[in-house]
Amino acid sequence: MASLDRVPFGRTNLLVPPIAVGCAEIGSMPEAFAYTVEEDEGLATVRAFLASPINYIDTAASYNDGESERRVGKVLRELGGLPPGTIIQTKAGADRFVRDWNPEIVKRRFERSIELLGVDHFDTVFLHDPEQTTFEIPMAPGGAVDLLLDYKRQGVFTNIGVAPGPVDLTLQYIETGLFDCVITHNRYTLLDRSAAPILAAAKARGMTVLNAAPYGSGLLAKGPEAYPRYSYRDAPEEMLDTARQIQQICARYDVPMAAAALQFSMLDPQIDVTIVGMSKPERVQQTIEFATMTIPE
């Protein structure tokens, strides 16, 4: 059984919930998740998790081109600002369609994030999806990384992180020693352990590790028949066969597959925070139940 007790965020004094709520779905991204989320339902989901023990916002400028941040910001304004104890992080980078990493564009998009969310300070900001360009371009003097480091020095956020996709590229960023934390997604689950080198390298440097998409974008939550997709695309048949075997084992012990998938991430000593995407308010309590359920070894 996992715990919902707050955990240290790396080498800082910040204590955070062990689950962050991924807000990509809340912004409605049917091209990624194969379903839409209407605004009312998205706002209700934000209200639900902000009123719960997992009051940890994880969003990004690129989630439906700011729509996720706009919806989260709308609820924060309703509440009169960020509620006490709430953790907030966003991700900055290029427009995911244009993929122009000119630092002025990254700056404009980050300043839009500040405006949409209506906050003047973040706990963490991540360099997002830098695989859209070469390693050298964001890392160049005066590039996107320097831009974000300057914002950190100004106190706009406390921690700087990096959130790429490919394992080798993520390791390159970790090795710079510039980042406090790292997000990996869809690469450390019951179906894919390819991010293991990321976890080891980050921990060796004392970085905070955040593991996103423990359900592989839905396959390990809904099941291979209901949702035969992994990491936002159709899953290969070999992976679906493995998922069916996992499903059968879980059924034998009367354990929801989603609970096993969630606790696989939460109980790993190399993972500090698990980021779980949600699209309905009832998913908040369900996630809490999955996290605290007793699962046989």
Side-chain angles (χ1 to χ4, degrees):
M1 180 172 66
S3 168
L4 293 180
D5 291 346
R6 292 199 167 210
V7 297
F9 195 92
R11 293 164 288 193
T12 70
N13 294 323
L14 183 66
L15 294 175
V16 302
I19 295 175
V21 178
C23 295
E25 292 100 316
I26 284 167
S28 191
M29 296 178 65
E31 72 282 4
F33 301 104
Y35 58 85
T36 59
V37 177
E38 297 301 324
E39 178 163 353
D40 287 350
E41 190 157 54
L43 298 179
T45 305
V46 177
R47 295 184 193 106
F49 77 74
L50 288 180
S52 80
I54 51 174
N55 55 340
Y56 188 162
I57 300 165
D58 172 82
T59 186
S62 67
Y63 292 163
N64 198 5
D65 196 26
E67 181 63 13
S68 170
E69 292 178 323
R70 188 189 71 78
R71 291 182 181 184
V72 171
K74 187 171 183 177
V75 174
L76 293 181
R77 288 179 175 88
E78 284 177 7
L79 299 174
L82 200 67
T86 300
I87 305 299
I88 186 166
Q89 63 192 34
T90 194
K91 308 180 193 77
D95 183 298
R96 66 193 182 96
F97 297 110
V98 179
R99 300 189 176 188
D100 186 339
W101 281 82
N102 182 312
E104 284 303 313
I105 292 175
V106 176
K107 179 180 180 181
R108 285 201 300 271
R109 288 174 64 79
F110 179 58
E111 290 178 347
R112 185 189 68 172
S113 296
I114 294 172
E115 181 180 347
L116 289 172
L117 288 162
V119 299
D120 56 12
H121 180 267
F122 297 92
D123 295 294
T124 308
V125 171
F126 292 84
L127 181 74
H128 196 203
D129 289 345
E131 64 269 25
Q132 297 169 349
T133 185
T134 65
F135 174 73
E136 290 76 17
I137 287 176
M139 288 295 302
V145 173
D146 273 357
L147 171 74
L148 293 181
L149 287 169
D150 190 47
Y151 275 117
K152 181 185 176 185
R153 284 189 288 269
Q154 294 173 42
V156 178
F157 50 84
T158 305
N159 301 289
I160 183 172
V162 62
V167 172
D168 289 349
L169 179 63
T170 306
L171 291 172
Q172 275 189 282
Y173 278 103
I174 288 172
E175 288 163 6
T176 67
L178 295 173
F179 299 92
D180 303 301
C181 45
V182 61
I183 292 176
T184 182
H185 65 86
N186 291 292
R187 291 170 175 82
Y188 201 76
T189 72
L190 288 174
L191 291 169
D192 184 345
R193 318 289 169 85
S194 59
I198 293 173
L199 275 55
K203 279 295 155 188
R205 286 189 172 273
M207 296 170 66
T208 301
V209 174
L210 300 93
N211 186 41
Y215 305 139
S217 78
L219 172 55
L220 287 165
K222 300 175 183 178
E225 310 311 324
Y227 194 81
R229 291 165 58 83
Y230 188 91
S231 190
Y232 323 118
R233 58 182 64 89
D234 291 343
E237 192 58 36
E238 182 180 1
M239 180 177 280
L240 294 175
D241 286 342
T242 303
R244 292 183 188 105
Q245 294 176 54
I246 293 170
Q247 195 173 42
Q248 290 168 6
I249 294 167
C250 288
R252 190 184 312 156
Y253 291 95
D254 196 27
V255 171
M257 184 163 60
L262 177 61
Q263 291 199 31
F264 171 77
S265 177
M266 292 184 70
L267 293 173
D268 192 301
Q270 295 185 107
I271 293 169
D272 300 290
V273 175
T274 299
I275 302 174
V276 182
M278 298 183 199
S279 58
K280 298 179 180 179
E282 56 265 32
R283 296 287 183 245
V284 176
Q285 184 56 38
Q286 185 183 58
T287 301
I288 291 169
E289 291 169 2
F290 287 160
T292 54
M293 181 178 291
T294 300
I295 299 179
E297 285 293 324

